[in-house]
Amino acid sequence: MPRGDLFPDIGPNETGYLPLSGGHVMYWEQVGNPYGVPVLFLHGGPGAGAGTVHRRFFDPVYWRAVIFDQRGAGRSRPLGSLARNTTQDLIEDIELLRVHLGVERWLLFGGSWGSTLALAYAQAHPDRVLGCVLRGIFLGREQEVAWFLYGLRQIFPEAHAAFANFLPPEERHDLLAGYISRLNDTDPAVHMPAAQAWSLYEGSCSTLLPNPDTVGLFARDRGALGLARIEAHYFANRLFLPPEGLLGHMDRIATLPAEIVQGRYDMICPAYSAFDLAACWPAAKLTVIPDAGHSALEPGIRRALVAAVERFRRQIG
């Protein structure tokens, strides 16, 4: 897939590991201008981890991009650990990282679960946020989780059949419980096939048109285990969000500027959540991409995200 609209490949100028609570260790890196305006990249999942392509959304001449793998994900250790792994823990981790790096305020950039975490962090620490660029909005509501587990069958019946039929017939009435029992098994011969089945399902439904490269990325062993195990854990616990949900606290960030980018045919995080969020956020601008699904690397999505970041650059000066 040509990605000429992203910035060129770039390596980090600093990396590190930061000890966290619960025996976790966070991987983090900084990319671009060490003296630039800070922007924090929040990956999806939960549990998916960040990749090298995510550095390319930010002009390295201007931005000081901070990228990290959330606890249990990617290069953070231990992989797939559920100990002390909640949304509140992740918010505390972000604050620990901010203080560690000496950042006063930063722009938040996140998609899918990254949009959820960005909203949760911004509501907890609005004074530390310059604004938000969010994609593929996921608000962690019960209907959104149910859509992922069961509703996607309406659009992707083959992918859903493979996902459901991984479990024996007597367990298919509760897909989440069936997967959790396997994903949390200590035997790799049990948890890895389940992780791959879960991740292949998500990858297969993430783009407007079939994309073997995207599916292949989801299927990699390490990424599949972190994504599937942690995502299932969060789903089973209502994403560790308050009963009133994220929309119940939008007053805390009502004046924060935001850009919301949403694929019209996003089947992982359907567009109604982006519209619900925009309706509660006077300072937000919603852009719907008419020919895109969920992935940040869909051509229209990635162009819109880069453009949104560049608009923030002009606002900040």
Side-chain angles (χ1 to χ4, degrees), residues 128-252:
R128 299 302 180 186
V129 180
L130 294 168
C132 298
V133 176
L134 306 178
R135 182 266 314 167
I137 301 303
F138 178 61
L139 299 174
R141 297 176 292 185
E142 185 176 350
Q143 65 263 37
E144 293 169 274
V145 174
W147 170 260
F148 177 84
L149 293 171
Y150 299 100
L152 274 169
R153 180 177 181 272
Q154 300 176 51
I155 313 298
F156 292 98
E158 320 94 306
H160 189 270
F163 176 61
N165 293 345
F166 175 81
L167 300 175
E170 63 272 16
E171 295 185 46
R172 293 174 195 162
H173 68 284
D174 191 341
L175 298 177
L176 185 57
Y179 268 94
I180 284 176
S181 68
R182 290 161 176 79
L183 292 168
N184 294 346
D185 194 291
T186 57
D187 185 353
V190 176
H191 65 239
M192 281 312 308
Q196 289 173 336
W198 179 291
S199 299
L200 282 170
Y201 170 59
E202 187 162 342
S204 298
C205 303
S206 288
T207 52
L208 179 63
L209 299 175
N211 189 321
D213 291 341
T214 299
V215 176
L217 287 173
F218 275 82
R220 290 179 181 174
D221 284 358
R222 286 185 59 82
L225 181 60
L227 173 66
R229 181 182 286 169
I230 296 174
E231 196 163 80
H233 167 66
Y234 273 70
F235 284 180
N237 289 280
R238 298 178 180 270
L239 285 299
F240 300 98
L241 296 173
E244 62 274 18
L246 293 168
L247 296 184
H249 295 291
M250 288 305 296
D251 58 301
R252 299 176 183 174

Side-chain angles (χ1 to χ4, degrees), residues 20-316:
L20 307 173
S21 61
H24 290 271
V25 180
M26 173 204 292
Y27 170 83
W28 60 268
E29 63 184 36
Q30 295 196 87
V31 180
N33 183 349
Y35 306 101
V37 175
V39 54
L40 178 69
F41 177 85
L42 299 165
H43 67 68
T52 57
V53 71
H54 297 138
R55 304 166 182 164
R56 300 179 57 194
F57 285 98
F58 314 106
D59 184 345
V61 174
Y62 180 83
W63 295 102
R64 175 190 176 187
V66 178
I67 299 173
F68 76 104
D69 289 331
Q70 296 157 32
R71 51 176 63 201
R75 293 151 291 186
S76 292
R77 305 189 295 256
L79 178 67
S81 173
L82 305 182
R84 291 287 304 274
N85 201 331
T86 71
T87 301
Q88 187 56 45
D89 287 312
L90 298 183
I91 291 171
E92 292 172 5
D93 294 347
I94 294 170
E95 269 298 273
L96 188 68
L97 180 61
R98 183 189 65 77
V99 172
H100 178 72
L101 297 178
V103 172
E104 183 66 25
R105 300 171 72 205
W106 42 17
L107 179 70
L108 304 182
F109 181 107
S112 195
W113 161 254
S115 74
T116 323
L117 184 56
L119 289 167
Y121 173 80
Q123 290 175 2
H125 300 282
D127 56 325
R128 299 302 180 186
V129 180
L130 294 168
C132 298
V133 176
L134 306 178
R135 182 266 314 167
I137 301 303
F138 178 61
L139 299 174
R141 297 176 292 185
E142 185 176 350
Q143 65 263 37
E144 293 169 274
V145 174
W147 170 260
F148 177 84
L149 293 171
Y150 299 100
L152 274 169
R153 180 177 181 272
Q154 300 176 51
I155 313 298
F156 292 98
E158 320 94 306
H160 189 270
F163 176 61
N165 293 345
F166 175 81
L167 300 175
E170 63 272 16
E171 295 185 46
R172 293 174 195 162
H173 68 284
D174 191 341
L175 298 177
L176 185 57
Y179 268 94
I180 284 176
S181 68
R182 290 161 176 79
L183 292 168
N184 294 346
D185 194 291
T186 57
D187 185 353
V190 176
H191 65 239
M192 281 312 308
Q196 289 173 336
W198 179 291
S199 299
L200 282 170
Y201 170 59
E202 187 162 342
S204 298
C205 303
S206 288
T207 52
L208 179 63
L209 299 175
N211 189 321
D213 291 341
T214 299
V215 176
L217 287 173
F218 275 82
R220 290 179 181 174
D221 284 358
R222 286 185 59 82
L225 181 60
L227 173 66
R229 181 182 286 169
I230 296 174
E231 196 163 80
H233 167 66
Y234 273 70
F235 284 180
N237 289 280
R238 298 178 180 270
L239 285 299
F240 300 98
L241 296 173
E244 62 274 18
L246 293 168
L247 296 184
H249 295 291
M250 288 305 296
D251 58 301
R252 299 176 183 174
I253 58 171
T255 60
L256 273 180
E259 295 253 7
I260 301 170
V261 176
Q262 179 70 39
R264 172 70 70 190
Y265 299 104
D266 185 338
M267 292 295 109
I268 300 293
C269 298
Y272 71 85
S273 291
F275 279 81
D276 289 349
L277 178 61
C280 297
W281 201 345
K285 172 188 176 183
L286 172 61
T287 300
V288 177
I289 308 303
D291 57 350
H294 181 68
S295 172
L297 298 180
E298 296 261 45
I301 296 282
R302 64 178 190 259
R303 285 194 293 267
L305 288 172
V306 170
V309 173
E310 288 298 287
R311 282 192 289 272
F312 265 104
R313 172 180 175 168
R314 291 193 291 273
Q315 290 173 27
I316 294 168

